[in-house]
């Protein structure tokens, strides 16, 4: 689940570059909406409270006890 969330965030961060590379006008309503959602999602995922929530549901970056080995 964590990988899916990270994939969505990575896509959200790359979306402006994808739009530029594809030559799609940024004035199209769906592009504007997608960019707004992508930016919002990236900002939300960067919040410490979101990371704390992910930790509580078992999707955090570090396991309990600091053991990071797979």
């Amino acid at each position: 689940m964590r990988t899916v969330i990270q994939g969505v965030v990575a896509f959200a961060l790359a979306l402006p570059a994808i739009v530029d590379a594809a030559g799609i006008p940024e004035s199209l309503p769906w592009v504007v909406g997608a960019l707004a959602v992508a930016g919002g999602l990236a900002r939300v995922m960067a919040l410490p409270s979101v990371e704390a929530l992910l930790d509580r549901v078992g999707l955090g970056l570090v396991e309990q006890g600091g053991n990071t080995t797979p």
Side-chain angles (χ1 to χ4, degrees):
M1 186 64 172
R2 176 81 185 198
T3 303
V4 171
I5 293 170
Q6 288 174 336
V8 169
V9 171
F11 178 74
L13 293 173
L15 189 58
I18 293 169
V19 170
D20 285 340
I24 299 170
E26 291 183 12
S27 61
L28 291 175
W30 69 270
V31 174
V32 172
L35 290 173
V37 169
L41 180 61
R43 289 189 67 133
V44 167
M45 290 301 291
L47 294 173
S49 57
V50 172
E51 183 59 38
L53 174 66
L54 292 174
D55 286 339
R56 277 189 268 156
V57 296
L59 298 174
L61 294 174
V62 179
E63 294 181 21
Q64 292 291 340
N67 184 6
T68 59
T69 58

